[in-house]
Amino acid sequence: MYNVALFGAGRIGQIHAANIAAHPDCRLQYVVDLYQPAAQALAEKFGAQVATAEQALNDSSIQLVAICSATNTHADLIEAAARAGKAIFCEKPVDLSLERVERCLATVKETGVTLMVGFNRRFDPSMAQLQQSLAAGEIGQTEIVTISSRDPGAPPAEYLKTSGGLFRDMTIHDFDMARWLLQEEPVTVYASASSLVDPAIKALGDIDTAIVTLTCASGKMAVITNSRRATYGYDQRIEVHGSEGMLAVTNLPESSLVKSSLSGVVAQKPMYFFLQRYAEAYRLEFASLITHLKSGTAVTPGGEDGLQALRLADAALASLTSGEVVRLKA
Amino acid sequence: MYNVALFGAGRIGQIHAANIAAHPDCRLQYVVDLYQPAAQALAEKFGAQVATAEQALNDSSIQLVAICSATNTHADLIEAAARAGKAIFCEKPVDLSLERVERCLATVKETGVTLMVGFNRRFDPSMAQLQQSLAAGEIGQTEIVTISSRDPGAPPAEYLKTSGGLFRDMTIHDFDMARWLLQEEPVTVYASASSLVDPAIKALGDIDTAIVTLTCASGKMAVITNSRRATYGYDQRIEVHGSEGMLAVTNLPESSLVKSSLSGVVAQKPMYFFLQRYAEAYRLEFASLITHLKSGTAVTPGGEDGLQALRLADAALASLTSGEVVRLKA
Amino acid sequence: MYNVALFGAGRIGQIHAANIAAHPDCRLQYVVDLYQPAAQALAEKFGAQVATAEQALNDSSIQLVAICSATNTHADLIEAAARAGKAIFCEKPVDLSLERVERCLATVKETGVTLMVGFNRRFDPSMAQLQQSLAAGEIGQTEIVTISSRDPGAPPAEYLKTSGGLFRDMTIHDFDMARWLLQEEPVTVYASASSLVDPAIKALGDIDTAIVTLTCASGKMAVITNSRRATYGYDQRIEVHGSEGMLAVTNLPESSLVKSSLSGVVAQKPMYFFLQRYAEAYRLEFASLITHLKSGTAVTPGGEDGLQALRLADAALASLTSGEVVRLKA
Amino acid sequence: MYNVALFGAGRIGQIHAANIAAHPDCRLQYVVDLYQPAAQALAEKFGAQVATAEQALNDSSIQLVAICSATNTHADLIEAAARAGKAIFCEKPVDLSLERVERCLATVKETGVTLMVGFNRRFDPSMAQLQQSLAAGEIGQTEIVTISSRDPGAPPAEYLKTSGGLFRDMTIHDFDMARWLLQEEPVTVYASASSLVDPAIKALGDIDTAIVTLTCASGKMAVITNSRRATYGYDQRIEVHGSEGMLAVTNLPESSLVKSSLSGVVAQKPMYFFLQRYAEAYRLEFASLITHLKSGTAVTPGGEDGLQALRLADAALASLTSGEVVRLKA
């Protein structure tokens, strides 16, 4: 039985709390949140206790901490948890600063604790099956990875201010998917982007519409198209073209009802919200962590995956700023 | 908070136990099952107690019983629970004998308790949306209801022996869907059927492949096609043709992965098992019951729905036996 | 080179004229139509001559006649052409009277000429591929054939008056498909039907909405659902369920454009009109006739197919009239 | 009636010959091809005469010439036809050299004749409908155009040698589509590409797998992914994401047959060959030319479209060679 301390009782913390509580091998022991009413409510719902970070980390019965607090607390909490010898799950990103991430991961490495970074899409059943089919050679050699990733609507300006910008906040998931599917580190990054969706985003100096191309030394390539707004729902598609075929993950409709009439043949929109679209992914992500902890096998995605995705995000931003292709060290 | 006693700790009882336990307004208090180890395991999993039927029904703190035990116990348990003044959820069917169902419902009526019969498909999000679209007149007047309902594989002969036969065991769900979508009671039933799937089924005098046609006085019609085996998974489709269009619920694939290669464009099979396909339906079914109990509004589907579906099943069997069309009283 | 005389310069005659003219092994020699301007226009368009029936049938250079004139002329023209020793293509039906068809086919048999009856759907590429897949055993043994056949809109009352009614005019195509896919003659026919679409149809004593069930001695079954009106286009689907899988022909959309927006994911309607949906089928039908004539192999569908489909239509009508199941001689 | 002279009796010439001959307002008068047997066969098939280029161009009864000969003859023939005052249809490209195209178009301009360049995809019914929907504002402002364009298999090395390379030979169609859908000239071009498909292509210094990104001054963007080989057929998809929705043209399957079995739900592959996929586009392309000639309205796509697409191809090649983004003059 793993006793778990959860940091952060917000939207994403609530998702993980439910998955922790429902897992047969876990017990949600502590909920930590500076905003006490949220911590209290979540703790009560799942029979846990409210605690401070110190209490949670100093309790030797806690084997695992789940970090779902604000981004700017992640690196510090990871380090503190690592020094306390806890296994760690941390929502992406580790930090918005590459240097800070590197420092944090060094600490993790020193202490030898397990760290999983929350790239939840790897655990979506359709995307996991895509990756397994690729790995099994079902379409031969991978040639082109195409990722369409579009949010249903732009987040509030308040959120965007501290988000790190489109590439570090949103595209970072797609960079992780690209690396995971290419199975090779990109050597060039080229980004085009515009502010077409929301003047508030432009005012912040951020972008909302982007195309990013990645190339690998072997000739494999990936392209990501992003938008902060898709009127028809949460658009999450991946397509991999290989020497012997193509694998594609399409959107999941809100229901399977289809209406045919004078207006056409109308199917349902894709699920609107990431919490709905990836509910199963979050559950399987946590279950995967526990499985690996139990068997002592390596956990993925780990800190290095978080670091590499951030490197690609930074390179994309550099490309956008300079208008030039950015070359990465192999 | 509703305290619930669950009767039956088998496969379907486990589904309901989890839904009861997860419902914010319910507490799973008792698990009753003659097979003690099953009762014990389920009770432990959800922090409930094992009890006898008498203990559960005599405990005045229990407001609701969920009957998921063997079919031949349903009617007796419903009557006992009704006399004890409990609200009742009962898995279909109330009984395989029309006469016994009528007697049982008379008792329910006398006692005035609430009874929901477990026609779970009404709560499937796609099918519920279909019904709401129909009710909202989205395709005008209903003309033809087409139900394709095929199990992935035949159940074991042991189960079939006491199942009541295809029409009472499997088609009964489709009869309920037909009534619910037609919004009018059928006046004729005609059934054709064969034993093509499994010689064991034929040996039992049962059938495994069927087409049943229902007509209503207004001219609306429904047709059901059944098979005990669909190699490609659990085939559960409904189509309604109306004066202004068509509504269709298609199958739900196991994932959204699609592979294109020399062999064609291959999508995933429909979900294989009813527990997977209707997991959400079971959850919403129970939630609907609680919502209605809380608000004191009428619960559907009720005992009358169970009775009418069984009448159609019996009529289908009479049609098959005689080779003639069976006319029902309006 | 086959010299062809075409009878009937109406809508369907024009389709066949174009296919005859475009066939590398055929020459459209004569167009025969009582309405001279139509004959004249069509003949000119394809470099043919206008002729009377006598001229066309007495011209020994004519090897093939294509009968696309009014239904009530078919049987007489077939007999005349047969006696003149011509190979014959005749649009369905041979006649609306079973007795007249039998007499006509006797003449054909005596003369030994080739007769193809225009059940064009057998030549639709999707449906032909379905039948070939079945014949190749791709889904094992056939169990249930489901045919959805709905016209985009009801024909004018004028046409309906002499049409022979829904079963002989429209369902007859579906009866042919059912026979072709079942590969066994049905032994029972049960029809339910209503007049829901158009009061004019009801006034004529005809029906516009129907479900017909066919069963075979082996236990195979087929069900046909018909409507004279489908607001979303020409609905032409077939599904065959077998012991090892299911084959389905879906509708063909007017284009492959799909629009996703707040209103849903909207695909195009099925092709609206039979001339568009079956354009390729008409072309391939005629090509098949020529191929068989050249090789001296048996032409299908032949007169017997026309006769059997009409028998099923008559049985359906008898079932509807009596409200009972009709049993056919094996 | 337009009398037409056709140059080139090869594969694509045969397509146009059939469309010319079938057009009610056209007569195929001459077929010109240095390879006499091909010219002879084609002329015979459609009742035309074989002629030399001089004969055809000097015949004042010829109003229109269709140039379907080898690429390196296009510019000369266009100029000769223009000087002879003929309206001109020319298969793409006008020439592989930008300078030569400019010179050729100057001549066309001087003479004032009509020139249509054969970007056939604009006339594909699905793609034309996509463009019309965009133009009608159905998805608001265009933001991202995504073009997937993959040939079923690589052409022979012999062909590739004189093809001008992937961008000028194959991507040029996609550049035209991008321009047509963006409705704005791109200002930057960035191309990544690899030789992954066929060593023979690499040996020629050519590429077979590419991603090209185009950006416009307004912020609109387009991305093209190409491969010389798609095992599953001819992959021709376009997707446009806009401020109010998404429009997508999907592939057209070879038939609408779908097979469900243990192996999954298998739909047909996309049509394999461009002549099948775009047969209707070729027909409508020619019909559009005639419509515009008759009405005296402007023909599109014209020479300028051919020129701009070639500019993009050259820019893509420059980008690939330099590894840098190429900026175009507005």
Side-chain angles (χ1 to χ4, degrees):
Chain A
M1 186 63 63
Y2 289 83
N3 294 312
V4 186
L6 173 74
F7 290 76
R11 193 170 62 179
I12 194 71
Q14 291 167 30
I15 298 295
H16 288 291
N19 289 330
I20 293 164
H23 196 288
D25 297 327
C26 292
R27 203 160 64 92
L28 181 62
Q29 181 81 5
Y30 296 122
V31 176
V32 182
D33 197 302
L34 289 180
Y35 182 58
Q36 286 291 312
Q40 197 60 47
L42 194 59
E44 255 170 44
K45 187 166 176 187
F46 294 105
Q49 293 169 257
V50 171
T52 64
E54 290 68 33
Q55 287 168 334
L57 295 177
N58 289 335
D59 183 337
S60 63
S61 76
I62 295 293
Q63 296 106 319
L64 173 60
V65 302
I67 302 173
C68 305
S69 47
T71 292
N72 61 7
T73 67
H74 287 188
D76 291 349
L77 283 172
I78 290 174
E79 289 179 336
R83 287 192 191 109
K86 317 297 190 195
I88 305 164
F89 169 83
C90 185
E91 266 302 320
K92 68 95 205 168
V94 172
D95 196 88
L96 295 173
S97 150
L98 205 55
E99 184 278 330
R100 182 71 188 90
V101 176
E102 284 170 342
R103 207 149 28 91
C104 177
L105 296 185
T107 301
V108 171
K109 200 172 178 187
E110 271 169 41
T111 58
V113 301
T114 292
L115 168 65
M116 176 184 258
V117 171
F119 285 128
N120 55 299
R121 293 181 196 175
R122 292 196 186 197
F123 300 93
D124 174 77
S126 299
M127 295 187 184
Q129 197 184 353
L130 167 62
Q131 200 272 345
Q132 286 154 18
S133 298
L134 273 185
E138 286 193 20
I139 58 162
Q141 299 300 312
T142 298
E143 296 174 350
I144 303 175
V145 173
T146 307
I147 300 175
S148 302
S149 173
R150 297 161 195 172
D151 279 350
E158 207 52 41
Y159 171 87
L160 288 170
K161 269 181 205 172
T162 60
S163 70
L166 185 85
F167 294 139
R168 289 198 195 100
D169 178 56
M170 178 176 161
T171 323
I172 197 157
H173 277 293
D174 308 313
F175 288 128
D176 182 62
M177 295 306 280
R179 289 183 61 245
W180 186 51
L181 298 173
L182 289 169
Q183 290 288 305
E184 183 182 349
E185 295 297 334
V187 294
T188 73
V189 179
Y190 172 66
S192 307
S194 314
S195 295
L196 301 173
V197 169
D198 188 347
I201 295 175
K202 192 167 198 168
L204 288 168
D206 201 356
I207 48 166
D208 49 40
T209 306
I211 300 179
V212 182
T213 309
L214 308 172
T215 68
C216 298
S218 69
K220 285 191 261 187
M221 293 177 280
V223 63
I224 299 163
T225 62
N226 285 149
S227 174
R228 280 286 193 188
R229 174 257 300 116
T231 55
Y232 46 89
Y234 189 36
D235 194 358
Q236 294 280 298
R237 290 170 290 146
I238 296 188
E239 182 180 303
V240 184
H241 185 262
S243 56
E244 295 170 23
M246 179 167 68
L247 289 164
V249 167
T250 64
N251 285 316
L252 299 175
E254 291 189 330
S255 86
S256 74
L257 184 65
V258 177
K259 178 179 170 182
S260 298
S261 72
L262 273 177
S263 318
V265 177
V266 188
Q268 302 300 307
K269 286 178 287 189
M271 290 178 179
Y272 187 79
F273 205 42
F274 77 96
L275 292 179
Q276 181 189 17
R277 174 65 180 84
Y278 288 123
E280 188 68 359
Y282 283 115
R283 199 182 66 73
L284 294 169
E285 175 184 58
F286 188 77
S288 167
L289 172 59
I290 298 302
T291 300
H292 284 293
L293 285 179
K294 285 171 75 177
S295 65
T297 49
V299 162
T300 54
E304 188 65 15
D305 295 301
L307 183 70
Q308 293 294 353
L310 186 59
R311 274 191 186 136
L312 293 175
D314 281 7
L317 193 56
S319 171
L320 183 66
T321 308
S322 68
E324 301 299 336
V325 183
V326 170
R327 271 156 249 284
L328 299 169
K329 289 166 210 151
Chain B
M1 185 65 60
Y2 289 84
N3 294 312
V4 186
L6 173 73
F7 291 75
R11 192 170 62 179
I12 194 71
Q14 291 167 28
I15 297 295
H16 288 292
N19 289 330
I20 293 164
H23 196 288
D25 298 327
C26 292
R27 202 159 66 90
L28 181 62
Q29 181 82 5
Y30 296 122
V31 176
V32 182
D33 197 302
L34 290 180
Y35 182 58
Q36 286 290 314
Q40 196 59 47
L42 195 57
E44 253 170 45
K45 186 165 177 186
F46 294 105
Q49 294 168 256
V50 171
T52 64
E54 291 68 33
Q55 286 168 333
L57 294 178
N58 290 336
D59 183 337
S60 64
S61 76
I62 295 293
Q63 295 107 318
L64 173 60
V65 302
I67 302 173
C68 304
S69 47
T71 292
N72 62 5
T73 68
H74 287 187
D76 291 349
L77 283 172
I78 289 173
E79 289 177 337
R83 288 191 191 110
K86 315 298 190 196
I88 305 163
F89 169 83
C90 185
E91 267 301 321
K92 68 95 205 168
V94 171
D95 196 88
L96 296 173
S97 150
L98 205 54
E99 185 277 330
R100 182 69 188 91
V101 176
E102 284 170 340
R103 206 149 28 90
C104 176
L105 295 185
T107 302
V108 170
K109 198 170 179 188
E110 272 169 41
T111 60
V113 301
T114 293
L115 168 64
M116 175 185 259
V117 172
F119 286 128
N120 55 300
R121 293 182 196 174
R122 292 195 186 198
F123 301 93
D124 174 76
S126 299
M127 296 187 183
Q129 198 185 353
L130 167 61
Q131 200 271 346
Q132 287 154 18
S133 297
L134 273 185
E138 285 192 22
I139 58 162
Q141 299 300 312
T142 297
E143 295 174 352
I144 304 174
V145 174
T146 308
I147 299 175
S148 302
S149 173
R150 297 160 193 172
D151 279 351
E158 207 53 40
Y159 171 88
L160 288 170
K161 270 181 204 171
T162 60
S163 70
L166 185 86
F167 294 139
R168 289 197 195 100
D169 178 56
M170 178 176 159
T171 323
I172 196 155
H173 278 292
D174 308 313
F175 288 127
D176 182 62
M177 294 308 279
R179 289 183 62 246
W180 186 51
L181 298 172
L182 289 168
Q183 290 290 305
E184 182 181 350
E185 296 298 334
V187 294
T188 73
V189 179
Y190 172 66
S192 307
S194 314
S195 296
L196 301 173
V197 170
D198 187 347
I201 295 175
K202 193 167 198 167
L204 288 167
D206 201 355
I207 48 165
D208 49 41
T209 306
I211 299 178
V212 182
T213 307
L214 309 172
T215 69
C216 298
S218 68
K220 284 190 262 188
M221 295 178 280
V223 63
I224 298 163
T225 63
N226 284 150
S227 173
R228 281 286 193 188
R229 174 256 300 115
T231 55
Y232 46 89
Y234 189 36
D235 194 359
Q236 292 282 298
R237 289 170 292 146
I238 296 188
E239 182 180 303
V240 184
H241 186 260
S243 55
E244 295 169 23
M246 178 167 66
L247 288 164
V249 168
T250 65
N251 285 317
L252 298 176
E254 291 189 330
S255 86
S256 74
L257 184 66
V258 177
K259 178 179 168 183
S260 299
S261 72
L262 273 177
S263 318
V265 177
V266 188
Q268 302 300 306
K269 287 179 286 189
M271 290 177 179
Y272 187 80
F273 204 43
F274 77 96
L275 291 179
Q276 181 190 18
R277 173 68 180 82
Y278 289 124
E280 187 69 359
Y282 284 115
R283 198 183 66 74
L284 294 169
E285 175 185 58
F286 188 77
S288 168
L289 172 59
I290 298 302
T291 298
H292 284 293
L293 285 179
K294 284 171 74 175
S295 65
T297 49
V299 162
T300 54
E304 188 67 15
D305 295 301
L307 184 70
Q308 292 294 351
L310 186 60
R311 274 190 185 135
L312 293 175
D314 281 8
L317 193 56
S319 171
L320 182 65
T321 308
S322 68
E324 301 298 338
V325 183
V326 170
R327 272 156 249 283
L328 299 168
K329 290 165 208 150
Chain C
M1 186 65 61
Y2 290 84
N3 294 313
V4 187
L6 173 73
F7 290 76
R11 192 170 61 178
I12 194 70
Q14 292 168 28
I15 298 295
H16 289 291
N19 289 329
I20 294 164
H23 196 289
D25 297 327
C26 292
R27 203 159 65 92
L28 182 62
Q29 181 81 6
Y30 296 123
V31 176
V32 182
D33 196 303
L34 289 180
Y35 182 58
Q36 287 291 312
Q40 196 60 48
L42 195 57
E44 255 171 43
K45 185 165 177 187
F46 295 104
Q49 294 169 256
V50 170
T52 64
E54 291 66 34
Q55 287 168 335
L57 294 177
N58 289 337
D59 183 336
S60 64
S61 77
I62 295 292
Q63 296 107 315
L64 172 61
V65 303
I67 302 173
C68 305
S69 47
T71 292
N72 61 5
T73 66
H74 288 188
D76 291 350
L77 283 171
I78 289 173
E79 289 178 335
R83 288 191 191 106
K86 315 298 190 195
I88 304 163
F89 169 85
C90 184
E91 266 302 320
K92 68 95 205 168
V94 172
D95 197 88
L96 295 173
S97 150
L98 206 54
E99 185 277 330
R100 183 69 188 91
V101 177
E102 284 170 341
R103 206 146 32 88
C104 175
L105 296 186
T107 303
V108 171
K109 199 171 178 185
E110 273 170 40
T111 58
V113 301
T114 292
L115 168 64
M116 176 185 259
V117 172
F119 286 127
N120 55 299
R121 292 181 197 175
R122 293 195 185 198
F123 300 94
D124 173 76
S126 299
M127 296 186 183
Q129 197 184 353
L130 167 62
Q131 201 270 346
Q132 286 154 17
S133 298
L134 273 185
E138 285 193 23
I139 58 162
Q141 299 300 311
T142 297
E143 296 174 350
I144 304 174
V145 173
T146 307
I147 300 175
S148 301
S149 173
R150 298 161 193 171
D151 278 352
E158 208 51 42
Y159 171 88
L160 288 170
K161 269 181 203 170
T162 60
S163 68
L166 184 86
F167 294 139
R168 288 197 195 100
D169 178 54
M170 178 175 161
T171 323
I172 196 157
H173 277 291
D174 308 313
F175 288 127
D176 182 62
M177 294 306 280
R179 289 183 63 247
W180 187 51
L181 298 173
L182 288 168
Q183 290 290 305
E184 183 181 349
E185 295 298 335
V187 293
T188 74
V189 179
Y190 172 66
S192 306
S194 314
S195 296
L196 301 173
V197 170
D198 187 346
I201 295 175
K202 193 167 198 167
L204 288 166
D206 200 354
I207 48 166
D208 49 41
T209 306
I211 299 179
V212 182
T213 308
L214 309 172
T215 68
C216 297
S218 69
K220 283 190 264 188
M221 294 177 279
V223 63
I224 298 164
T225 63
N226 283 150
S227 173
R228 280 288 194 186
R229 173 257 300 115
T231 54
Y232 46 90
Y234 189 35
D235 193 359
Q236 293 281 298
R237 290 169 292 147
I238 296 189
E239 181 181 302
V240 184
H241 186 261
S243 56
E244 295 170 22
M246 178 167 68
L247 288 164
V249 167
T250 65
N251 285 317
L252 298 176
E254 291 189 330
S255 87
S256 73
L257 184 66
V258 177
K259 179 179 168 182
S260 299
S261 72
L262 273 177
S263 318
V265 176
V266 188
Q268 302 300 307
K269 285 178 287 189
M271 289 176 179
Y272 188 80
F273 204 42
F274 78 96
L275 292 179
Q276 180 190 17
R277 173 68 180 83
Y278 289 123
E280 187 69 359
Y282 284 114
R283 198 183 65 74
L284 294 168
E285 175 184 58
F286 188 76
S288 167
L289 172 60
I290 298 302
T291 299
H292 284 292
L293 285 178
K294 286 171 73 176
S295 66
T297 49
V299 161
T300 54
E304 187 67 14
D305 295 299
L307 183 70
Q308 293 295 352
L310 185 60
R311 274 189 186 137
L312 292 176
D314 280 9
L317 193 55
S319 171
L320 183 66
T321 308
S322 67
E324 302 297 338
V325 183
V326 170
R327 270 156 250 282
L328 299 169
K329 289 165 211 152
Chain D
M1 187 63 62
Y2 290 84
N3 294 313
V4 187
L6 173 72
F7 291 75
R11 192 170 63 177
I12 194 70
Q14 291 167 29
I15 298 295
H16 288 291
N19 289 330
I20 294 164
H23 196 289
D25 297 328
C26 292
R27 203 159 65 92
L28 182 61
Q29 182 81 4
Y30 296 123
V31 176
V32 182
D33 196 303
L34 289 180
Y35 182 60
Q36 287 292 312
Q40 196 60 46
L42 194 58
E44 254 171 43
K45 185 166 177 187
F46 294 105
Q49 294 169 256
V50 170
T52 64
E54 291 66 34
Q55 286 168 335
L57 294 177
N58 289 336
D59 183 337
S60 64
S61 77
I62 294 293
Q63 296 106 319
L64 173 61
V65 302
I67 303 174
C68 305
S69 47
T71 292
N72 62 5
T73 67
H74 289 188
D76 290 350
L77 283 171
I78 289 173
E79 289 178 337
R83 287 193 191 106
K86 315 298 189 194
I88 305 163
F89 168 84
C90 184
E91 266 302 321
K92 68 94 206 168
V94 172
D95 196 88
L96 295 174
S97 149
L98 206 55
E99 185 277 328
R100 183 70 187 91
V101 176
E102 284 170 343
R103 207 149 29 92
C104 177
L105 296 186
T107 302
V108 171
K109 199 171 178 188
E110 272 170 41
T111 58
V113 300
T114 292
L115 168 64
M116 177 185 257
V117 172
F119 286 128
N120 56 300
R121 293 182 196 173
R122 293 195 186 198
F123 300 94
D124 173 77
S126 299
M127 295 187 185
Q129 198 184 353
L130 167 63
Q131 201 271 345
Q132 286 154 18
S133 298
L134 273 185
E138 285 193 22
I139 57 162
Q141 299 300 312
T142 297
E143 295 173 352
I144 304 175
V145 174
T146 307
I147 300 175
S148 302
S149 174
R150 298 161 194 173
D151 278 352
E158 208 52 40
Y159 171 87
L160 288 170
K161 270 181 204 169
T162 60
S163 70
L166 184 86
F167 294 138
R168 288 198 196 99
D169 178 55
M170 178 175 161
T171 323
I172 197 156
H173 277 292
D174 307 313
F175 288 127
D176 182 62
M177 295 307 279
R179 289 183 62 245
W180 187 51
L181 298 172
L182 288 168
Q183 290 290 305
E184 183 182 349
E185 295 298 336
V187 293
T188 73
V189 179
Y190 171 66
S192 307
S194 315
S195 296
L196 301 173
V197 170
D198 187 346
I201 294 175
K202 192 167 198 169
L204 287 167
D206 201 354
I207 47 166
D208 49 41
T209 306
I211 300 178
V212 182
T213 308
L214 308 172
T215 69
C216 297
S218 69
K220 284 191 262 187
M221 295 177 280
V223 62
I224 299 163
T225 62
N226 283 151
S227 172
R228 279 287 193 189
R229 173 256 301 113
T231 54
Y232 46 89
Y234 188 36
D235 194 359
Q236 293 281 297
R237 290 169 291 147
I238 296 189
E239 182 181 303
V240 184
H241 186 261
S243 56
E244 294 169 22
M246 179 167 68
L247 289 163
V249 168
T250 64
N251 284 316
L252 298 175
E254 290 188 331
S255 88
S256 74
L257 183 65
V258 177
K259 178 179 169 183
S260 299
S261 72
L262 272 177
S263 318
V265 176
V266 188
Q268 302 300 308
K269 285 178 287 188
M271 291 176 177
Y272 187 80
F273 205 43
F274 78 96
L275 292 179
Q276 180 190 16
R277 172 66 180 84
Y278 289 123
E280 187 69 359
Y282 283 114
R283 198 183 65 74
L284 294 169
E285 176 185 58
F286 189 77
S288 166
L289 172 59
I290 298 303
T291 299
H292 284 292
L293 285 178
K294 285 171 73 175
S295 65
T297 48
V299 162
T300 55
E304 187 65 15
D305 295 301
L307 183 69
Q308 293 294 350
L310 186 59
R311 275 190 185 137
L312 293 176
D314 281 7
L317 193 55
S319 171
L320 183 65
T321 309
S322 67
E324 302 298 337
V325 183
V326 169
R327 271 155 249 283
L328 299 169
K329 289 166 209 149

